[in-house]
Amino acid sequence: MAFFIATLVASVIGVMLLGSLLLRNRAHTLQLQADLDGTRQDLIRQLREAEHFRMACEDANDGIVIQTLDARVVWTNLAYSRIIGRPIDQIIGRNPMEFVFPEDDTPTPEEIRDFRYDPDDPTYDHLQLRLNRRADGSLFWNQHSISFRKSAVGEDHAILICRDVTPQIEQRERLKEARNRLAYEATHDNLTGLANRAAFLDFCEQALQRPAEETTFIGLLHVDLDRFKEINDTHGHSAGDAALIHVAQAMASSMPDTGLVGRVGGDEFVAVFPDIGSLDALRAKARTISTKVAEPFDWNDHRLTITCSIGAAAAEGGTTDPDTLLLQTDFALYKAKRSGRNRVRTYDERLHKRHTQETYRASELADAIDTASLDHVFQPTYDMRSGRVMGFETLVRWTHPEEGTIRPDEFLPIANELGLMGALDLGSMTSALERKHALDMAGFREMGIAFNASADLLAHPEFINRLVWGVEAGGIRRTDVTIEVLETTAFGDASETSSHAAVIRDLRDAGFQVHLDDFGVGYAGLAHLAQLAVTGVKIDRTLISNILLDETSFKIVRKIIELCNDLGLDVIAEGVETRDVADKLFSMGCQVIQGYWIARPLAEDAVLPWLQDRRTDGSHLRLISG
Ligand code: C2E
Ligand code: CA
Ligand code: CA
């Protein structure tokens, strides 16, 4: 029994063992099954990934090249073959250095043989750009990156990713060029290629900012061409351009490397010397430039010459600014021009003193004009046939507290530069109308009054209104008022001439007299005379004073008188100083004269007494008329 039990137990245990064995086997099988499934899916995933990698690599737009460390290609994609224009089988196994660089940039066979990538070289961490060559020889810009990987068997490889960026580079170049061109045009003069005004001021400013220890003197020359307009007028603008280019070259060839030449106006140039040493050295430079400019230059089949005037000034670093230095060269230039052109003037102590004085004088004059404190004198005109005083011309004077009486020839140019001629002339006009009113009141109603009108007065918007208002207020006849306009104003600057002509016509249409002043020396406008709506001319006093001495002056005056008589214009001879001249004029048909022989200009309060004297004692006048 025991045996039976034991056998039974044993068999039960056996069955249990078998069962458990069987059970374990089954679990194992299931596990295996699961493992197999996992591996399969893994494989599928890996295969998919490999497929994706392959797609990415083979079909990428960027070229991909896998190389050994000695640069032989082990794999490449279609894109790379396309970029460099070679079939893949001509690339595999070779070092691309043999064929990919421009010929003059290809390394020697030894260099290629010895080449090794160094995976630790940090330069490979950046994108690189290099000019490459295709199989057909054409060049392109290759932008590439290089990285390094170990393969499954532990071998190092270089992986190159390349892209043809030629269009982008070309566009960048074009943009850069355009930007450079714009920057160039913003700082250069088109015609001569010299620096323009802005670039010059910039350069000058920087030079002047350098501390005195670093430089000696900063020198500036301001060059202005003499009679440039004549070249333009006689030969046309292309000759003018040739002259400007000639001057630009003459100046540029006289400069040190550190200097700068600029064109700052139509026919105005500057030269900056950042370290000139002394005022004498600057003066010497100016002379060299002046000599070179004066050398003849060719234009078409002509040899032309031009000269220039130069103003020079220098300053120590850190002591002044470009505007001040320019003002100084301007002043020196102005003096050079006035002393007869083709000159060099340097802004030295003496000129500085003059400049200070003149600047002060200008501000005094501006004050005198603003406060209407200029004086006026009156010079009579006289009719030789009737023996009557015709009227008076109003002439401005400046009574300076220290200098005494200053003549208009001295201060009118200053007023003109200050832009105050219009205001000055309105003052003369007012004074003229007041004098005429006083004459009327004193019983000299038949006397006329004249005043001089500058271009600024003609252009003054209030001129005619104020004139009309003035005559109305004073009860003055318009025909008794004469406006004298210089011949050079009426026929001057072409751009203004037509508007001046219009004002002259308006004046005449309004009933005033208009006389052309200083006639015969300016533009010899005999032919134009009929076009202008003037009522008379005043023959210039230089012609008049010469009629007894100089045949030409005599003939010109005779013609003018004839023409005026033909056209029905008044004709007045000014500057008559002697009886002989007066007699001659009378015999030529000119009756009305003005000049020292009749009277010098009279102070305001001397006018009436002078006239009253003539009434009682006309001997002097009767003498001529008789
Ligand atoms: P202008 O209009 O030709 O005036 C005549 C000038 O000749 C005056 O000089 C006068 O004093 C001078 N003169 C008169 N008779 C003789 C003579 O027999 N011999 C000589 N040698 N000279 C004589 P002034 O007053 O110095 O004026 C010079 C110029 O200044 C004037 O020449 C005129 O163009 C201008 N001017 C004078 N006053 C004014 C003004 O109020 N406005 C404007 N715009 N210009 C003026
Ligand atoms: Ca005059
Ligand atoms: Ca005159």
Side-chain angles (χ1 to χ4, degrees):
M1 186 58 195
F3 175 76
F4 174 74
I5 288 172
T7 311
L8 186 67
V9 167
S11 47
V12 167
I13 290 171
V15 167
M16 281 172 72
L17 276 173
L18 191 69
S20 94
L21 200 73
L22 276 174
L23 267 175
R24 214 173 326 136
N25 255 351
R26 169 130 181 90
H28 188 66
T29 311
L30 282 174
Q31 180 62 46
L32 266 179
Q33 182 72 44
D35 282 356
L36 262 176
D37 278 357
T39 312
R40 217 179 96 227
Q41 265 161 21
D42 240 24
L43 270 172
I44 291 172
R45 192 171 43 79
Q46 281 179 21
L47 274 172
R48 276 216 188 104
E49 265 175 17
E51 168 72 1
H52 290 157
F53 276 131
R54 198 186 55 76
M55 272 163 60
C57 291
E58 284 186 350
D59 301 334
N61 277 332
D62 288 349
I64 302 174
V65 185
I66 302 178
Q67 291 169 288
T68 53
L69 286 192
D70 58 0
R72 260 194 323 275
V73 176
V74 293
W75 185 87
T76 185
N77 67 353
L78 261 176
Y80 185 69
S81 143
R82 204 167 48 233
I83 291 171
I84 68 158
R86 278 175 197 276
I88 290 181
D89 57 11
Q90 280 182 22
I91 304 170
I92 300 290
R94 292 178 69 184
N95 180 341
M97 286 176 181
E98 294 165 18
F99 50 77
V100 90
F101 294 130
E103 268 157 35
D104 54 357
D105 197 20
T106 299
T108 61
E110 292 73 41
E111 284 170 327
I112 293 174
R113 191 192 58 213
D114 297 341
F115 176 81
R116 289 285 175 283
Y117 281 117
D118 172 9
D120 296 326
D121 185 342
T123 51
Y124 292 127
D125 294 344
H126 307 289
L127 268 182
Q128 300 185 24
L129 187 67
R130 205 160 163 179
L131 200 58
N132 275 197
R133 177 167 53 114
R134 299 189 188 91
D136 65 6
S138 59
L139 299 176
F140 68 97
W141 284 100
N142 182 359
Q143 186 191 53
H144 58 270
S145 65
I146 300 175
S147 55
F148 297 96
R149 287 283 177 284
K150 270 196 198 321
S151 70
V153 286
E155 214 177 298
D156 275 315
H157 282 92
I159 302 166
L160 254 99
I161 301 194
C162 326
R163 180 177 290 188
D164 176 359
V165 291
T166 313
Q168 289 92 318
I169 295 287
E170 280 174 356
Q171 191 182 9
R172 205 167 67 187
E173 286 299 306
R174 278 198 298 274
L175 273 175
K176 205 158 88 188
E177 248 169 52
R179 221 174 290 136
N180 287 345
R181 208 173 43 243
L182 279 179
Y184 182 87
E185 278 166 9
T187 52
H188 286 77
D189 163 48
N190 259 346
L191 177 70
T192 59
L194 296 179
N196 65 10
R197 190 176 194 93
F200 149 68
L201 285 174
D202 221 40
F203 183 89
C204 202
E205 172 124 46
Q206 281 177 22
L208 284 168
Q209 273 169 3
R210 283 169 62 192
E213 309 83 75
E214 275 182 29
T215 59
T216 51
F217 284 98
I218 295 99
L220 174 62
L221 300 181
H222 195 168
V223 178
D224 188 282
L225 303 189
D226 301 327
R227 304 195 169 88
F228 175 65
K229 198 170 171 296
E230 269 173 36
I231 287 211
N232 262 334
D233 288 350
T234 19
H235 300 289
H237 283 281
S238 83
D241 286 355
L244 294 171
I245 290 167
H246 159 74
V247 174
Q249 285 165 351
M251 288 184 67
S253 67
S254 317
M255 293 300 290
D257 291 345
T258 52
L260 174 129
V261 184
R263 179 173 170 221
V264 293
D267 62 343
E268 274 178 63
F269 296 82
V270 285
V272 188
F273 300 83
D275 197 1
I276 189 67
S278 69
L279 208 53
D280 279 341
L282 183 64
R283 197 179 289 125
K285 278 281 174 204
R287 294 231 174 80
T288 311
I289 287 178
S290 157
T291 311
K292 279 199 180 160
V293 165
E295 284 169 8
F297 62 95
D298 292 325
W299 169 74
N300 289 349
D301 291 332
H302 297 69
R303 300 219 89 184
L304 304 178
T305 51
I306 190 150
T307 59
C308 63
S309 303
I310 304 182
E316 281 182 61
T319 61
T320 190
D321 53 89
D323 287 339
T324 310
L325 202 59
L326 252 181
L327 272 180
Q328 297 178 346
T329 55
D330 275 357
F331 186 73
L333 176 62
Y334 170 70
K335 292 289 168 194
K337 288 247 167 207
R338 287 210 39 179
S339 60
R341 294 159 210 274
N342 197 12
R343 304 275 163 98
V344 174
R345 279 301 291 270
T346 318
Y347 193 85
D348 51 16
E349 273 302 313
R350 211 161 49 96
L351 218 53
H352 175 65
K353 229 165 155 181
R354 286 273 288 281
H355 193 190
T356 317
Q357 272 169 2
E358 288 186 18
T359 312
Y360 185 65
R361 180 61 54 86
S363 75
E364 286 180 313
L365 177 63
D367 267 0
I369 296 171
D370 279 353
T371 55
S373 43
L374 292 179
D375 293 321
H376 297 90
V377 291
F378 302 88
Q379 189 178 28
T381 45
Y382 175 73
D383 184 343
M384 293 189 275
R385 185 177 299 269
S386 65
R388 284 192 318 117
V389 175
M390 302 291 291
F392 293 84
E393 177 184 2
T394 312
L395 296 161
V396 69
R397 294 287 180 272
W398 181 15
T399 314
H400 189 273
E402 287 121 42
E403 306 285 323
T405 302
I406 305 179
R407 298 279 295 251
D409 289 340
E410 268 184 65
F411 65 84
L412 292 187
I414 308 173
N416 194 30
E417 263 182 38
L418 293 170
L420 292 175
M421 273 312 283
L424 182 147
D425 279 350
L426 283 176
S428 301
M429 180 183 90
T430 308
S431 179
L433 297 181
E434 279 170 9
R435 196 67 2 237
K436 167 64 180 152
H437 184 67
L439 284 168
D440 286 354
M441 294 294 102
F444 294 99
R445 286 206 143 265
E446 70 284 10
M447 297 281 145
I449 195 80
F451 62 90
N452 295 284
S454 62
D456 283 6
L457 183 66
L458 295 186
H460 198 290
E462 280 295 300
F463 168 42
I464 295 190
N465 280 348
R466 287 218 210 166
L467 176 60
V468 169
W469 184 85
V471 292
E472 306 280 306
I476 297 165
R477 273 195 313 252
R478 294 187 185 188
T479 43
D480 286 344
V481 178
T482 304
I483 297 100
E484 296 189 10
V485 179
L486 290 179
E487 185 193 5
T488 45
T489 304
F491 291 119
D493 194 339
S495 57
E496 289 173 344
T497 303
S498 58
S499 60
H500 292 164
V503 178
I504 290 171
R505 183 167 298 279
D506 288 349
L507 285 167
R508 197 200 58 183
D509 291 349
F512 298 101
Q513 314 272 349
V514 185
H515 286 178
L516 215 45
D517 204 351
D518 291 1
F519 190 76
V521 288
Y523 285 77
L526 283 188
H528 298 100
L529 197 53
Q531 295 163 11
L532 269 188
V534 292
T535 55
V537 304
K538 277 181 100 167
I539 309 175
D540 188 74
R541 66 174 178 274
T542 52
L543 283 175
I544 298 299
S545 60
N546 276 332
I547 52 169
L548 296 178
L549 314 166
D550 168 45
E551 184 76 9
T552 316
S553 299
F554 168 77
K555 284 182 176 163
I556 294 176
V557 170
R558 196 179 55 192
K559 268 275 166 281
I560 295 174
I561 295 170
E562 251 177 53
L563 188 75
C564 287
N565 288 338
D566 280 355
L567 293 171
L569 296 174
D570 296 338
V571 55
I572 298 153
E574 66 176 15
V576 178
E577 294 185 356
T578 63
R579 180 188 178 136
D580 292 347
V581 172
D583 285 346
K584 188 79 184 171
L585 286 163
F586 192 69
S587 72
M588 289 159 84
C590 171
Q591 292 157 224
V592 184
I593 59 170
Q594 185 185 33
Y596 292 170
W597 186 56
I598 305 297
R600 292 194 171 246
L602 305 160
E604 194 179 282
D605 52 9
V607 171
L608 283 178
W610 184 84
L611 276 174
Q612 274 143 5
D613 270 6
R614 295 315 99 169
R615 254 186 191 168
T616 49
D617 168 26
S619 59
H620 165 85
L621 301 179
R622 229 180 297 126
L623 201 69
I624 339 161
S625 58

